[in-house]
Amino acid sequence: MSRDVRTDINLKEPRWDQGAFMGRAKHFFMVTDPRNVLLSSEALDEARTILENYKHGKVRPGLTEDELWRAKYIYDSAFHPDTGEKMLLVGRMSAQVPMNMTITGCMLTFYRTTPAVIFWQWANQSFNAIVNYTNRSGDAPLTVGQLGTAYASATTGAVVTALGLKSLTKHLPSLIARFVPFAAVAAANCINIPLMRQRELKFGIPVTDINGNRLGESPKAAQQAIFQVVVSRIGMAIPAMAIPPVIMNALEKRAFLKRFPLLSAPIQVGLVGLSLVFATPLCCALFPQKSSMKVSHLEPELQTLIQAHDPGIDVVYFNKGL
């Protein structure tokens, strides 16, 4: 049973242990909860007020710990962590499931014609660009040029991959052709994310000690962070883009869908949505949000700087991004 809230809760950290996969999974199930998209502006502002009052020692009578944590996750789902500004609705992490299920479901349904391939790959990369811009780091903001380059490169890469593989699968079983959208999305992620975070690869990302004290910037930490994000993003796509094609390939051979072919798209979108509800938070949880790296693996000059600051530091920490 919930009890009155304590006054010493650290709201800068997630509610659950991030050193364990299950703790990270619980955290990301809350972060990506699609129900938060339906919250009104009043509900979002109320959550912000609860958190601001708590930070200043003002606790509403009867407020429980569960309600406080719920307010934190509502706030985190809608407001930028660096600027505090309300984020674009479609770019929020809570919009990932409904947006991706629609776009991915249509990509998997309308994969047979060239115009459909081009349109849905473009739609997917346009959505990715909005997500990456909305969740950009306030410490290293994206320029319009960087955003445009990443958007154009990822879209081109996805379309070229999709059309190239589509031409190669003309004489192969129909099931093989259904996996072309996944290959295109995987290729686009490998292009889009590094380009979107190219400034981090060049100048590095902040690394800290275990207490959060900033020690410097490391491009090698950025490389590890971006690799982990790419793996997570591709992992999210695997269940949503690999399981539904197998099911749909079997269903379309049955009399029901032959009789009602217009139901193919909504069924496929529903299957993708069901997969994404679980795949999105579980794949976000593959790696800790607060990732780590041994000091010995950093750049020599940064190692020297850290050793001069505190010779006892063996490991540094950094935010890997999403």
Side-chain angles (χ1 to χ4, degrees), residues 18-75:
Q18 298 300 284
F21 176 77
M22 286 306 299
R24 297 196 297 271
K26 290 178 181 178
H27 168 70
F28 281 109
F29 267 107
M30 294 293 291
V31 170
T32 62
D33 187 345
R35 293 174 298 179
N36 288 341
V37 172
L38 303 175
L39 294 173
S40 65
S41 295
E42 291 75 16
L44 298 178
D45 291 337
E46 181 184 3
R48 178 166 57 181
T49 300
I50 289 174
L51 294 181
E52 289 178 350
N53 287 343
Y54 183 83
K55 290 175 184 177
H56 291 90
K58 301 176 183 178
V59 181
R60 188 188 69 201
L63 182 71
T64 66
E65 186 170 336
D66 284 343
E67 290 172 339
L68 178 64
W69 281 111
R70 175 62 180 155
K72 171 184 165 50
Y73 279 105
I74 288 175
Y75 176 86

Tab-separated table of all heavy atoms in Angstrom, residues 18-75:
chain	number	residue	atom	x	y	z
A	18	GLN	N	19.326	0.743	-11.951
A	18	GLN	CA	19.718	0.727	-13.351
A	18	GLN	C	20.912	-0.178	-13.635
A	18	GLN	O	21.353	-0.306	-14.782
A	18	GLN	CB	20.008	2.150	-13.833
A	18	GLN	CG	18.802	3.068	-13.762
A	18	GLN	CD	17.640	2.572	-14.600
A	18	GLN	OE1	17.671	2.694	-15.818
A	18	GLN	NE2	16.617	2.006	-13.961
A	19	GLY	N	21.423	-0.812	-12.590
A	19	GLY	CA	22.503	-1.778	-12.772
A	19	GLY	C	21.988	-3.141	-13.194
A	19	GLY	O	22.767	-4.004	-13.606
A	20	ALA	N	20.679	-3.353	-13.092
A	20	ALA	CA	20.064	-4.629	-13.454
A	20	ALA	C	19.127	-4.418	-14.641
A	20	ALA	O	18.453	-3.389	-14.749
A	20	ALA	CB	19.294	-5.199	-12.269
A	21	PHE	N	19.065	-5.413	-15.529
A	21	PHE	CA	18.230	-5.284	-16.724
A	21	PHE	C	16.768	-5.060	-16.360
A	21	PHE	O	16.093	-4.219	-16.974
A	21	PHE	CB	18.361	-6.539	-17.595
A	21	PHE	CG	17.447	-6.524	-18.795
A	21	PHE	CD1	17.755	-5.757	-19.914
A	21	PHE	CD2	16.266	-7.250	-18.800
A	21	PHE	CE1	16.907	-5.728	-21.015
A	21	PHE	CE2	15.413	-7.226	-19.891
A	21	PHE	CZ	15.737	-6.461	-20.999
A	22	MET	N	16.255	-5.786	-15.362
A	22	MET	CA	14.848	-5.643	-15.002
A	22	MET	C	14.548	-4.237	-14.481
A	22	MET	O	13.476	-3.686	-14.747
A	22	MET	CB	14.454	-6.694	-13.965
A	22	MET	CG	14.313	-8.097	-14.523
A	22	MET	SD	13.178	-8.179	-15.948
A	22	MET	CE	11.651	-7.611	-15.210
A	23	GLY	N	15.495	-3.658	-13.752
A	23	GLY	CA	15.303	-2.290	-13.280
A	23	GLY	C	15.240	-1.307	-14.429
A	23	GLY	O	14.404	-0.394	-14.448
A	24	ARG	N	16.127	-1.512	-15.405
A	24	ARG	CA	16.111	-0.636	-16.584
A	24	ARG	C	14.842	-0.844	-17.398
A	24	ARG	O	14.266	0.108	-17.934
A	24	ARG	CB	17.346	-0.904	-17.457
A	24	ARG	CG	18.659	-0.598	-16.763
A	24	ARG	CD	19.809	-0.501	-17.745
A	24	ARG	NE	20.075	-1.740	-18.459
A	24	ARG	CZ	20.893	-2.699	-18.034
A	24	ARG	NH1	21.498	-2.574	-16.861
A	24	ARG	NH2	21.119	-3.781	-18.762
A	25	ALA	N	14.380	-2.097	-17.491
A	25	ALA	CA	13.160	-2.389	-18.243
A	25	ALA	C	11.954	-1.687	-17.606
A	25	ALA	O	11.128	-1.080	-18.306
A	25	ALA	CB	12.927	-3.891	-18.313
A	26	LYS	N	11.824	-1.753	-16.285
A	26	LYS	CA	10.723	-1.086	-15.598
A	26	LYS	C	10.765	0.419	-15.853
A	26	LYS	O	9.727	1.053	-16.087
A	26	LYS	CB	10.791	-1.363	-14.094
A	26	LYS	CG	10.464	-2.797	-13.699
A	26	LYS	CD	10.609	-2.985	-12.202
A	26	LYS	CE	10.306	-4.424	-11.790
A	26	LYS	NZ	10.499	-4.629	-10.330
A	27	HIS	N	11.963	0.976	-15.823
A	27	HIS	CA	12.129	2.410	-16.066
A	27	HIS	C	11.646	2.790	-17.460
A	27	HIS	O	10.874	3.741	-17.631
A	27	HIS	CB	13.611	2.777	-15.892
A	27	HIS	CG	13.969	4.136	-16.382
A	27	HIS	ND1	13.554	5.291	-15.757
A	27	HIS	CD2	14.701	4.540	-17.468
A	27	HIS	CE1	14.013	6.354	-16.412
A	27	HIS	NE2	14.704	5.920	-17.449
A	28	PHE	N	12.054	2.024	-18.473
A	28	PHE	CA	11.702	2.378	-19.841
A	28	PHE	C	10.263	2.030	-20.194
A	28	PHE	O	9.694	2.630	-21.112
A	28	PHE	CB	12.681	1.746	-20.827
A	28	PHE	CG	13.988	2.496	-20.912
A	28	PHE	CD1	15.148	1.966	-20.383
A	28	PHE	CD2	14.027	3.755	-21.490
A	28	PHE	CE1	16.342	2.665	-20.443
A	28	PHE	CE2	15.217	4.470	-21.558
A	28	PHE	CZ	16.375	3.917	-21.031
A	29	PHE	N	9.658	1.077	-19.492
A	29	PHE	CA	8.224	0.851	-19.695
A	29	PHE	C	7.449	2.110	-19.280
A	29	PHE	O	6.426	2.439	-19.888
A	29	PHE	CB	7.741	-0.356	-18.896
A	29	PHE	CG	7.752	-1.649	-19.665
A	29	PHE	CD1	8.692	-2.627	-19.402
A	29	PHE	CD2	6.829	-1.878	-20.673
A	29	PHE	CE1	8.720	-3.817	-20.134
A	29	PHE	CE2	6.830	-3.056	-21.404
A	29	PHE	CZ	7.787	-4.035	-21.135
A	30	MET	N	7.940	2.804	-18.254
A	30	MET	CA	7.299	4.045	-17.829
A	30	MET	C	7.597	5.189	-18.809
A	30	MET	O	6.715	5.957	-19.188
A	30	MET	CB	7.779	4.432	-16.428
A	30	MET	CG	7.357	3.475	-15.335
A	30	MET	SD	5.565	3.493	-15.055
A	30	MET	CE	5.378	5.120	-14.328
A	31	VAL	N	8.866	5.276	-19.250
A	31	VAL	CA	9.275	6.358	-20.147
A	31	VAL	C	8.532	6.297	-21.482
A	31	VAL	O	8.160	7.331	-22.051
A	31	VAL	CB	10.806	6.307	-20.381
A	31	VAL	CG1	11.220	7.262	-21.502
A	31	VAL	CG2	11.547	6.664	-19.097
A	32	THR	N	8.334	5.066	-21.994
A	32	THR	CA	7.721	4.910	-23.321
A	32	THR	C	6.231	4.603	-23.268
A	32	THR	O	5.635	4.264	-24.298
A	32	THR	CB	8.430	3.780	-24.095
A	32	THR	OG1	8.268	2.532	-23.394
A	32	THR	CG2	9.919	4.068	-24.250
A	33	ASP	N	5.618	4.727	-22.113
A	33	ASP	CA	4.189	4.426	-21.961
A	33	ASP	C	3.360	5.271	-22.932
A	33	ASP	O	3.283	6.495	-22.790
A	33	ASP	CB	3.764	4.718	-20.521
A	33	ASP	CG	2.326	4.261	-20.227
A	33	ASP	OD1	1.588	3.989	-21.192
A	33	ASP	OD2	1.960	4.181	-19.037
A	34	PRO	N	2.730	4.654	-23.948
A	34	PRO	CA	1.996	5.433	-24.954
A	34	PRO	C	0.783	6.167	-24.405
A	34	PRO	O	0.282	7.096	-25.037
A	34	PRO	CB	1.583	4.380	-25.995
A	34	PRO	CG	1.625	3.074	-25.268
A	34	PRO	CD	2.710	3.207	-24.246
A	35	ARG	N	0.307	5.777	-23.216
A	35	ARG	CA	-0.846	6.468	-22.642
A	35	ARG	C	-0.529	7.925	-22.305
A	35	ARG	O	-1.423	8.770	-22.231
A	35	ARG	CB	-1.325	5.732	-21.386
A	35	ARG	CG	-1.916	4.352	-21.680
A	35	ARG	CD	-2.247	3.618	-20.401
A	35	ARG	NE	-1.049	3.374	-19.597
A	35	ARG	CZ	-1.051	2.763	-18.412
A	35	ARG	NH1	-2.196	2.360	-17.897
A	35	ARG	NH2	0.078	2.578	-17.759
A	36	ASN	N	0.761	8.224	-22.107
A	36	ASN	CA	1.144	9.594	-21.771
A	36	ASN	C	0.886	10.573	-22.917
A	36	ASN	O	0.794	11.780	-22.700
A	36	ASN	CB	2.625	9.647	-21.375
A	36	ASN	CG	2.868	9.021	-20.013
A	36	ASN	OD1	1.944	8.871	-19.218
A	36	ASN	ND2	4.097	8.637	-19.743
A	37	VAL	N	0.787	10.059	-24.140
A	37	VAL	CA	0.491	10.926	-25.287
A	37	VAL	C	-0.889	11.553	-25.136
A	37	VAL	O	-1.141	12.661	-25.625
A	37	VAL	CB	0.564	10.107	-26.600
A	37	VAL	CG1	0.078	10.941	-27.782
A	37	VAL	CG2	1.987	9.646	-26.852
A	38	LEU	N	-1.796	10.867	-24.447
A	38	LEU	CA	-3.176	11.329	-24.319
A	38	LEU	C	-3.374	12.329	-23.182
A	38	LEU	O	-4.470	12.869	-23.024
A	38	LEU	CB	-4.102	10.119	-24.089
A	38	LEU	CG	-4.054	9.024	-25.170
A	38	LEU	CD1	-4.932	7.844	-24.759
A	38	LEU	CD2	-4.490	9.575	-26.517
A	39	LEU	N	-2.333	12.572	-22.398
A	39	LEU	CA	-2.471	13.473	-21.258
A	39	LEU	C	-2.698	14.913	-21.720
A	39	LEU	O	-2.089	15.370	-22.687
A	39	LEU	CB	-1.230	13.400	-20.373
A	39	LEU	CG	-0.992	12.067	-19.651
A	39	LEU	CD1	0.353	12.074	-18.942
A	39	LEU	CD2	-2.109	11.790	-18.656
A	40	SER	N	-3.548	15.614	-21.016
A	40	SER	CA	-3.841	17.003	-21.356
A	40	SER	C	-2.725	17.924	-20.876
A	40	SER	O	-1.873	17.537	-20.057
A	40	SER	CB	-5.156	17.432	-20.692
A	40	SER	OG	-5.008	17.428	-19.276
A	41	SER	N	-2.724	19.154	-21.377
A	41	SER	CA	-1.738	20.154	-20.944
A	41	SER	C	-1.867	20.419	-19.454
A	41	SER	O	-0.862	20.655	-18.756
A	41	SER	CB	-1.927	21.453	-21.729
A	41	SER	OG	-1.648	21.262	-23.102
A	42	GLU	N	-3.096	20.376	-18.956
A	42	GLU	CA	-3.313	20.595	-17.526
A	42	GLU	C	-2.643	19.509	-16.694
A	42	GLU	O	-2.028	19.786	-15.655
A	42	GLU	CB	-4.814	20.635	-17.216
A	42	GLU	CG	-5.553	21.841	-17.757
A	42	GLU	CD	-5.797	21.773	-19.260
A	42	GLU	OE1	-5.659	20.661	-19.827
A	42	GLU	OE2	-6.117	22.817	-19.854
A	43	ALA	N	-2.747	18.239	-17.148
A	43	ALA	CA	-2.130	17.130	-16.416
A	43	ALA	C	-0.610	17.248	-16.437
A	43	ALA	O	0.066	16.962	-15.434
A	43	ALA	CB	-2.561	15.798	-17.025
A	44	LEU	N	-0.050	17.674	-17.570
A	44	LEU	CA	1.399	17.849	-17.673
A	44	LEU	C	1.882	18.976	-16.766
A	44	LEU	O	2.896	18.849	-16.071
A	44	LEU	CB	1.790	18.136	-19.123
A	44	LEU	CG	1.473	17.042	-20.151
A	44	LEU	CD1	1.872	17.497	-21.544
A	44	LEU	CD2	2.172	15.737	-19.800
A	45	ASP	N	1.145	20.073	-16.757
A	45	ASP	CA	1.525	21.214	-15.912
A	45	ASP	C	1.388	20.866	-14.432
A	45	ASP	O	2.195	21.317	-13.603
A	45	ASP	CB	0.660	22.430	-16.247
A	45	ASP	CG	0.971	22.994	-17.626
A	45	ASP	OD1	2.087	22.760	-18.121
A	45	ASP	OD2	0.081	23.646	-18.221
A	46	GLU	N	0.389	20.056	-14.097
A	46	GLU	CA	0.215	19.635	-12.708
A	46	GLU	C	1.401	18.784	-12.256
A	46	GLU	O	1.906	18.948	-11.140
A	46	GLU	CB	-1.077	18.831	-12.552
A	46	GLU	CG	-1.326	18.378	-11.107
A	46	GLU	CD	-2.561	17.501	-10.979
A	46	GLU	OE1	-3.190	17.186	-12.007
A	46	GLU	OE2	-2.885	17.120	-9.836
A	47	ALA	N	1.873	17.890	-13.131
A	47	ALA	CA	3.033	17.063	-12.798
A	47	ALA	C	4.268	17.928	-12.581
A	47	ALA	O	5.041	17.714	-11.643
A	47	ALA	CB	3.292	16.056	-13.915
A	48	ARG	N	4.440	18.933	-13.419
A	48	ARG	CA	5.586	19.837	-13.263
A	48	ARG	C	5.504	20.602	-11.945
A	48	ARG	O	6.512	20.756	-11.238
A	48	ARG	CB	5.652	20.818	-14.441
A	48	ARG	CG	6.788	21.823	-14.309
A	48	ARG	CD	7.063	22.553	-15.599
A	48	ARG	NE	5.903	23.258	-16.116
A	48	ARG	CZ	5.912	23.948	-17.255
A	48	ARG	NH1	7.013	24.012	-17.982
A	48	ARG	NH2	4.813	24.555	-17.664
A	49	THR	N	4.308	21.037	-11.596
A	49	THR	CA	4.124	21.766	-10.337
A	49	THR	C	4.448	20.887	-9.130
A	49	THR	O	5.102	21.336	-8.177
A	49	THR	CB	2.674	22.280	-10.236
A	49	THR	OG1	2.406	23.161	-11.335
A	49	THR	CG2	2.456	23.012	-8.926
A	50	ILE	N	4.006	19.635	-9.165
A	50	ILE	CA	4.280	18.701	-8.058
A	50	ILE	C	5.779	18.541	-7.866
A	50	ILE	O	6.288	18.579	-6.738
A	50	ILE	CB	3.619	17.332	-8.331
A	50	ILE	CG1	2.095	17.441	-8.210
A	50	ILE	CG2	4.144	16.271	-7.348
A	50	ILE	CD1	1.357	16.186	-8.610
A	51	LEU	N	6.525	18.374	-8.967
A	51	LEU	CA	7.974	18.181	-8.878
A	51	LEU	C	8.683	19.434	-8.403
A	51	LEU	O	9.587	19.368	-7.552
A	51	LEU	CB	8.523	17.759	-10.246
A	51	LEU	CG	8.087	16.390	-10.767
A	51	LEU	CD1	8.730	16.112	-12.110
A	51	LEU	CD2	8.465	15.286	-9.782
A	52	GLU	N	8.293	20.589	-8.938
A	52	GLU	CA	8.931	21.838	-8.517
A	52	GLU	C	8.682	22.115	-7.047
A	52	GLU	O	9.588	22.543	-6.316
A	52	GLU	CB	8.422	22.988	-9.385
A	52	GLU	CG	8.938	22.935	-10.819
A	52	GLU	CD	8.379	24.049	-11.679
A	52	GLU	OE1	7.437	24.743	-11.210
A	52	GLU	OE2	8.866	24.232	-12.813
A	53	ASN	N	7.452	21.871	-6.595
A	53	ASN	CA	7.146	22.082	-5.179
A	53	ASN	C	7.945	21.126	-4.295
A	53	ASN	O	8.450	21.515	-3.237
A	53	ASN	CB	5.645	21.884	-4.934
A	53	ASN	CG	4.814	23.031	-5.469
A	53	ASN	OD1	5.339	24.115	-5.738
A	53	ASN	ND2	3.520	22.811	-5.639
A	54	TYR	N	8.072	19.861	-4.746
A	54	TYR	CA	8.815	18.876	-3.952
A	54	TYR	C	10.284	19.276	-3.814
A	54	TYR	O	10.875	19.154	-2.740
A	54	TYR	CB	8.702	17.495	-4.597
A	54	TYR	CG	9.390	16.411	-3.798
A	54	TYR	CD1	8.738	15.799	-2.727
A	54	TYR	CD2	10.682	16.010	-4.102
A	54	TYR	CE1	9.375	14.823	-1.972
A	54	TYR	CE2	11.325	15.036	-3.355
A	54	TYR	CZ	10.662	14.437	-2.294
A	54	TYR	OH	11.294	13.479	-1.542
A	55	LYS	N	10.865	19.772	-4.924
A	55	LYS	CA	12.277	20.184	-4.888
A	55	LYS	C	12.500	21.343	-3.930
A	55	LYS	O	13.599	21.520	-3.395
A	55	LYS	CB	12.736	20.569	-6.302
A	55	LYS	CG	12.844	19.382	-7.244
A	55	LYS	CD	13.176	19.833	-8.660
A	55	LYS	CE	13.194	18.652	-9.624
A	55	LYS	NZ	13.434	19.078	-11.031
A	56	HIS	N	11.452	22.146	-3.701
A	56	HIS	CA	11.563	23.285	-2.790
A	56	HIS	C	11.008	22.967	-1.398
A	56	HIS	O	10.752	23.870	-0.598
A	56	HIS	CB	10.840	24.502	-3.372
A	56	HIS	CG	11.504	25.075	-4.585
A	56	HIS	ND1	11.204	24.659	-5.867
A	56	HIS	CD2	12.486	26.011	-4.718
A	56	HIS	CE1	11.947	25.324	-6.739
A	56	HIS	NE2	12.741	26.156	-6.068
A	57	GLY	N	10.804	21.670	-1.144
A	57	GLY	CA	10.362	21.251	0.179
A	57	GLY	C	8.881	21.409	0.440
A	57	GLY	O	8.438	21.293	1.587
A	58	LYS	N	8.099	21.668	-0.622
A	58	LYS	CA	6.656	21.816	-0.449
A	58	LYS	C	5.965	20.528	-0.902
A	58	LYS	O	5.972	20.206	-2.096
A	58	LYS	CB	6.132	22.999	-1.266
A	58	LYS	CG	6.769	24.343	-0.906
A	58	LYS	CD	6.267	25.434	-1.840
A	58	LYS	CE	6.941	26.768	-1.540
A	58	LYS	NZ	6.492	27.826	-2.485
A	59	VAL	N	5.403	19.806	0.045
A	59	VAL	CA	4.754	18.541	-0.264
A	59	VAL	C	3.260	18.660	-0.023
A	59	VAL	O	2.824	19.036	1.075
A	59	VAL	CB	5.326	17.394	0.599
A	59	VAL	CG1	4.650	16.075	0.243
A	59	VAL	CG2	6.832	17.287	0.390
A	60	ARG	N	2.474	18.363	-1.058
A	60	ARG	CA	1.026	18.434	-0.933
A	60	ARG	C	0.536	17.424	0.089
A	60	ARG	O	0.962	16.268	0.079
A	60	ARG	CB	0.390	18.138	-2.291
A	60	ARG	CG	-1.110	18.353	-2.353
A	60	ARG	CD	-1.647	17.841	-3.674
A	60	ARG	NE	-1.568	16.376	-3.740
A	60	ARG	CZ	-1.577	15.675	-4.866
A	60	ARG	NH1	-1.633	16.282	-6.030
A	60	ARG	NH2	-1.510	14.356	-4.843
A	61	PRO	N	-0.333	17.816	1.012
A	61	PRO	CA	-0.850	16.869	2.010
A	61	PRO	C	-1.480	15.646	1.351
A	61	PRO	O	-2.273	15.776	0.413
A	61	PRO	CB	-1.908	17.698	2.763
A	61	PRO	CG	-1.483	19.120	2.580
A	61	PRO	CD	-0.874	19.181	1.217
A	62	GLY	N	-1.080	14.463	1.805
A	62	GLY	CA	-1.633	13.232	1.267
A	62	GLY	C	-0.910	12.694	0.052
A	62	GLY	O	-1.245	11.617	-0.451
A	63	LEU	N	0.097	13.435	-0.467
A	63	LEU	CA	0.850	12.970	-1.630
A	63	LEU	C	1.613	11.702	-1.273
A	63	LEU	O	2.291	11.639	-0.244
A	63	LEU	CB	1.835	14.049	-2.089
A	63	LEU	CG	2.653	13.714	-3.342
A	63	LEU	CD1	1.758	13.724	-4.576
A	63	LEU	CD2	3.814	14.702	-3.510
A	64	THR	N	1.498	10.688	-2.110
A	64	THR	CA	2.197	9.417	-1.869
A	64	THR	C	3.439	9.320	-2.742
A	64	THR	O	3.599	10.058	-3.718
A	64	THR	CB	1.287	8.217	-2.165
A	64	THR	OG1	0.991	8.194	-3.571
A	64	THR	CG2	-0.015	8.307	-1.362
A	65	GLU	N	4.306	8.391	-2.394
A	65	GLU	CA	5.533	8.188	-3.168
A	65	GLU	C	5.203	7.735	-4.593
A	65	GLU	O	5.846	8.162	-5.550
A	65	GLU	CB	6.422	7.153	-2.475
A	65	GLU	CG	7.786	6.993	-3.130
A	65	GLU	CD	8.751	6.152	-2.309
A	65	GLU	OE1	8.574	6.068	-1.075
A	65	GLU	OE2	9.680	5.588	-2.912
A	66	ASP	N	4.200	6.872	-4.721
A	66	ASP	CA	3.798	6.420	-6.055
A	66	ASP	C	3.328	7.592	-6.910
A	66	ASP	O	3.635	7.673	-8.105
A	66	ASP	CB	2.677	5.377	-5.958
A	66	ASP	CG	3.191	4.017	-5.515
A	66	ASP	OD1	4.416	3.796	-5.592
A	66	ASP	OD2	2.372	3.191	-5.088
A	67	GLU	N	2.571	8.511	-6.314
A	67	GLU	CA	2.080	9.678	-7.052
A	67	GLU	C	3.225	10.604	-7.447
A	67	GLU	O	3.208	11.193	-8.532
A	67	GLU	CB	1.060	10.432	-6.206
A	67	GLU	CG	-0.267	9.691	-6.027
A	67	GLU	CD	-1.184	10.361	-5.025
A	67	GLU	OE1	-0.684	11.146	-4.187
A	67	GLU	OE2	-2.396	10.101	-5.071
A	68	LEU	N	4.227	10.719	-6.578
A	68	LEU	CA	5.387	11.561	-6.885
A	68	LEU	C	6.161	10.992	-8.068
A	68	LEU	O	6.520	11.717	-9.004
A	68	LEU	CB	6.296	11.668	-5.668
A	68	LEU	CG	7.578	12.486	-5.868
A	68	LEU	CD1	7.249	13.943	-6.155
A	68	LEU	CD2	8.500	12.373	-4.653
A	69	TRP	N	6.401	9.687	-8.053
A	69	TRP	CA	7.124	9.056	-9.150
A	69	TRP	C	6.305	9.105	-10.442
A	69	TRP	O	6.856	9.274	-11.529
A	69	TRP	CB	7.474	7.607	-8.801
A	69	TRP	CG	8.662	7.486	-7.905
A	69	TRP	CD1	8.685	7.084	-6.611
A	69	TRP	CD2	10.026	7.777	-8.255
A	69	TRP	NE1	9.972	7.112	-6.116
A	69	TRP	CE2	10.809	7.530	-7.110
A	69	TRP	CE3	10.660	8.220	-9.416
A	69	TRP	CZ2	12.196	7.703	-7.095
A	69	TRP	CZ3	12.038	8.405	-9.408
A	69	TRP	CH2	12.790	8.149	-8.259
A	70	ARG	N	5.015	8.969	-10.319
A	70	ARG	CA	4.157	9.076	-11.505
A	70	ARG	C	4.279	10.475	-12.101
A	70	ARG	O	4.375	10.631	-13.320
A	70	ARG	CB	2.700	8.781	-11.129
A	70	ARG	CG	1.688	8.987	-12.256
A	70	ARG	CD	1.931	8.084	-13.430
A	70	ARG	NE	0.953	8.299	-14.502
A	70	ARG	CZ	1.168	8.022	-15.769
A	70	ARG	NH1	2.333	7.525	-16.159
A	70	ARG	NH2	0.233	8.241	-16.672
A	71	ALA	N	4.305	11.492	-11.253
A	71	ALA	CA	4.464	12.867	-11.724
A	71	ALA	C	5.812	13.046	-12.414
A	71	ALA	O	5.910	13.728	-13.448
A	71	ALA	CB	4.336	13.842	-10.557
A	72	LYS	N	6.856	12.421	-11.867
A	72	LYS	CA	8.184	12.538	-12.487
A	72	LYS	C	8.193	11.944	-13.887
A	72	LYS	O	8.717	12.548	-14.831
A	72	LYS	CB	9.235	11.830	-11.633
A	72	LYS	CG	10.599	11.732	-12.338
A	72	LYS	CD	11.600	10.959	-11.553
A	72	LYS	CE	12.802	10.556	-12.416
A	72	LYS	NZ	13.408	11.667	-13.185
A	73	TYR	N	7.583	10.753	-14.042
A	73	TYR	CA	7.608	10.109	-15.346
A	73	TYR	C	6.686	10.804	-16.346
A	73	TYR	O	6.951	10.807	-17.546
A	73	TYR	CB	7.282	8.620	-15.214
A	73	TYR	CG	8.498	7.818	-14.793
A	73	TYR	CD1	8.633	7.329	-13.504
A	73	TYR	CD2	9.528	7.591	-15.700
A	73	TYR	CE1	9.765	6.613	-13.125
A	73	TYR	CE2	10.657	6.875	-15.331
A	73	TYR	CZ	10.778	6.388	-14.048
A	73	TYR	OH	11.904	5.697	-13.675
A	74	ILE	N	5.614	11.413	-15.854
A	74	ILE	CA	4.767	12.225	-16.741
A	74	ILE	C	5.564	13.442	-17.218
A	74	ILE	O	5.558	13.777	-18.401
A	74	ILE	CB	3.482	12.670	-16.014
A	74	ILE	CG1	2.531	11.484	-15.832
A	74	ILE	CG2	2.796	13.793	-16.790
A	74	ILE	CD1	1.301	11.818	-15.029
A	75	TYR	N	6.259	14.083	-16.282
A	75	TYR	CA	7.078	15.248	-16.632
A	75	TYR	C	8.169	14.870	-17.634
A	75	TYR	O	8.363	15.536	-18.654
A	75	TYR	CB	7.713	15.843	-15.372
A	75	TYR	CG	8.641	16.995	-15.658
A	75	TYR	CD1	8.152	18.296	-15.780
A	75	TYR	CD2	10.018	16.785	-15.826
A	75	TYR	CE1	9.008	19.353	-16.063
A	75	TYR	CE2	10.872	17.832	-16.118
A	75	TYR	CZ	10.366	19.116	-16.232
A	75	TYR	OH	11.206	20.158	-16.526
